[in-house]
Amino acid sequence: MLVIKQIVPIIQATLVQQTQSDQAVYHLLLDSRKLYNPSQALYFAINGEHHNGHEFVAELYARGVRNFVIEENLPAHVKLPNANILKVTSAVNALQQVAAAHRNQYQIPVIGVTGSNGKTMVKEWLAKLLAEDFKVVKSPKSYNSQTGVPLSVWQMNKRHTMGIFEAGISAKNEMTALQKVIQPSIGIFTNLGTAHDEGFDNRTQKFAEKWKLFEHCKAVVCCAEHLQTYHDIVTKTSFSGQPFTWGKNEQAQLRLLDKQTHLTQQQTQLKVQYQGENHFIQAPFIDEASVENILHCVATMCLLGLSFDKIQRRIARLRPVSMRLELKRGMRNTYLIDDSYNNDLAGLKIALDFMSTQDVNLQKIVVLSDMLQSGLPPEKLYQAIAQLLQSKAIDRVIAVGEEIKKHQASFNVLDVVFFDQTKDLLESQVELARLANAVILVKGARRFRFEHLVHQLQQKVHGTVLEINLGALVHNLNFYREQLPSHTKMMVMVKAFAYGSGSAEIAHLLQFHRVDYLGVAYADEGVFLRESGIDLPIMVMNPSEDTFDKLLQYDLEPEMYSFKVLDEFIHFLKEQQTTAKVHLKIDTGMHRLGFVVEEVPRLLQVLQQPDTQQKAPLDYLSIASVFSHLAGSDEATHNAYSQQQITLFEAATKQIETALGYEVIKHILNSPGIVRFPEASFDMVRLGIGLYGIEANQIAQSQLQSISRLTTTISQIKYLQPGETVGYSRKGVASHTTKTATVAIGYADGFSRAFSNGVGKVMVNGAKVPVIGNVCMDMCMIDVTGVEATEGDEVIIFNEELSILDLAQSIDTIPYEILTNISQRVKRVFYLE
Ligand SMILES: *Cc1c(COP(=O)(O)O)cnc(C)c1O
């Protein structure tokens, strides 16, 4: 906590207005959607790449926020009579300075973790491994950015005895700022990979920048082989501490003598030497990355002086925990958010924020256990939890555990019920029956075994699953936003179930992230979105006469593409004596739907032609936008054609605006167009496939993240003799003794029959294997000869490595078709990492 008058000099602010210099600040707020406890918050208005934080100042004032850090003058009409207003040149710097001042109040060991991969895992594991010896405060999830680090460090309080924070950078000169905030006494350097290469001149420079985190560290844990490569750079920096290395290298302090992988037990046995003695460590993982992360943890524990006895015991107990927040469909119209990983206040906040990205019309229910290891006195902890739940307008709380029950009094403003044990809740039919029409957050410490509850509530997800990474989706959205001038609006196309990804869930996320418009193909798709609580404007591309009443009823805005539709719609509006918004589609060369350019004068005439009652169509219609569509924006060969389309569009919109006497929203770019013709972004763009991680013109593909993973499972394993055949029409012939696996995906799920007979390749336990025989309706067979594969194993159809693009190319189609063909019977699971 700091008070305003302390903060002013720390951030060298100009006091625009001061009303209460003793006001204590307990929360640092960057995002108006994450507000709680307004009177104790300090809001930093950041003019960022995607949003200008100053736009939310008035709203936050109305919601009770009284302390603001700004970097731009507020418009004259924004009046904040009772607020402290501090002006600085950079609100991000100010945030970092406040956090650094907070950090300065504590003299505890702090571990700073950086590197390209593994930061979050190492941090999370170390926090678990050290929990018995220290009261640990750590970054929530992967809060490692210029703004995430200050928020992480701000959580420190006087009860903590160890801090573990991660720092991530994507460009030059960023680390110095993070170093000042974290001030680590011990460093961990995980490794140097390709991530964010584009932000640096070369690898050496990237390494040097990352190493700046360790400037004042006494010791830095890193891999000896790694350090060798960059030894010269380290000696050139002002780093005065000692590296603490692990590796095969003889000079390594912690030497790795041997490594044995046991596939069946999913274990790796490590033989290490430390201070002349040999030790064995059983790591419960087999993948390279996890083993590397574990060695970083072991080295750090050695450095901290823990005995090998403790190290061995605790490493053996590590579990491959998923750090993701999952959103699953539950029974009785519920969504479940399953988060049994983070059991602290920061984790609860993140989960509640995730909850608010989903359906606003459903009840919000939180099932919560005792919170262990919070670093706060219980009294304060449960007060804080209750306050947080209240500020998020949670409709009902189900509390499980004896600790939380002791603090009942804190929860009395909420609708709350208490159970001593998970078992009691599971036996309460009354309580379980109330879990309907709701978003339910299930968050419990491990020993409460809330997975039993999740299991009961969840619709069974087995067989084929499409997993969707909502974090990656937001990353992609922001990538496209960065390409555009800040005034350009964004329409996101969510037609065809959001390109197969699940329209309601994705639309909610887009609404939360403040896109301006949604676009669908048919009225029914728009109705579905409205019924699931979306209130963004929605454009419908294919309106038909039989859906006009639905359009009005659900406030959907049709595209007018021909004189026939226009005439029918005007007729309908006259009958109903009402008005509506429409979008005019100009055909500049796609030759699908739209008024061709030559028809524009006649269109304008029709629109302005008064009828016998002296009413023109424009008295019934308001033109929400005018748009066109590029036919070849994904290929450079068509650049001249695209340019010509853009020129035609500009001319047509000029005519329209002149005739109307006002400006309209103009848009022509789809995803590949945004990357190729940013200068033609006009007032809005229509993002489609790019949001889903695919960049159809391949210019910036490396900057997008893949959002989905399609997996299925092996139902049965068979062994065939040479000459025996597989499947329909006996197309698959075993040329030698063959091991096949029958998997639970067929063409009815969207796995095209074109993948038959070796064309399709899928992944089983790390091996890429071909389809054998013809793909059936609900199943197909794969050749797993020589591959370790058993019944129940996962089979990957596509993911980050097995790309949708390759899959599409192998059957001569495009990613759009692969995505939209995934049938609705395939379960969708959404998650946030
Ligand atoms: C589908 C669609 C888009 C989005 O196209 P992408 O290539 O997926 O970005 C944009 N505009 C119209 C009219 C569309 O039909």
Side-chain angles (χ1 to χ4, degrees), residues 480 491-495 499 520-521 539 541 559 585 590 592 627-630 633-634 667-674 685-692 694 696 816:
Y480 284 96
M491 175 186 285
V492 177
M493 306 310 286
V494 291
K495 58 197 183 195
Y499 290 50
V520 294
M539 177 177 92
M541 293 191 293
E559 162 183 327
K585 174 75 165 284
M590 173 77 177
R592 187 169 62 179
F627 75 110
S628 187
H629 193 42
L630 297 176
S633 63
D634 53 337
H667 46 115
I668 190 167
L669 300 180
N670 60 346
S671 320
I674 297 172
V685 295
R686 298 185 307 275
L687 178 63
I689 192 98
L691 181 73
Y692 310 98
I694 293 159
Y816 297 75

Side-chain angles (χ1 to χ4, degrees), residues 563 566 584 586 595 599-608:
F563 288 108
L566 182 64
L584 298 180
I586 310 298
F595 298 96
E599 289 172 328
V600 169
R602 194 176 131 213
L603 169 63
L604 290 167
Q605 210 182 1
V606 170
L607 286 173
Q608 292 171 315

Side-chain angles (χ1 to χ4, degrees), residues 417-437:
V417 51
F418 293 89
F419 292 94
D420 286 335
Q421 300 178 38
T422 309
K423 185 167 117 322
D424 305 330
L425 167 60
L426 290 175
E427 284 167 5
S428 165
Q429 291 308 327
V430 182
E431 201 50 53
L432 292 179
R434 290 182 67 168
L435 297 174
N437 306 315

Side-chain angles (χ1 to χ4, degrees), residues 462-479:
H462 53 77
T464 310
V465 180
L466 182 68
E467 290 172 277
I468 293 149
N469 181 342
L470 296 175
L473 198 109
V474 173
H475 167 92
N476 296 340
L477 176 68
N478 287 337
F479 166 78

Side-chain angles (χ1 to χ4, degrees), residues 422-423 426 448-458:
T422 309
K423 185 167 117 322
L426 290 175
F448 285 87
R449 311 291 308 266
F450 275 2
E451 61 269 22
H452 294 305
L453 176 68
V454 172
H455 193 73
Q456 273 208 17
L457 298 177
Q458 179 183 334

Side-chain angles (χ1 to χ4, degrees), residues 669-686:
L669 300 180
N670 60 346
S671 320
I674 297 172
V675 182
R676 206 187 285 283
F677 306 103
E679 66 287 354
S681 53
F682 295 99
D683 310 298
M684 182 152 81
V685 295
R686 298 185 307 275

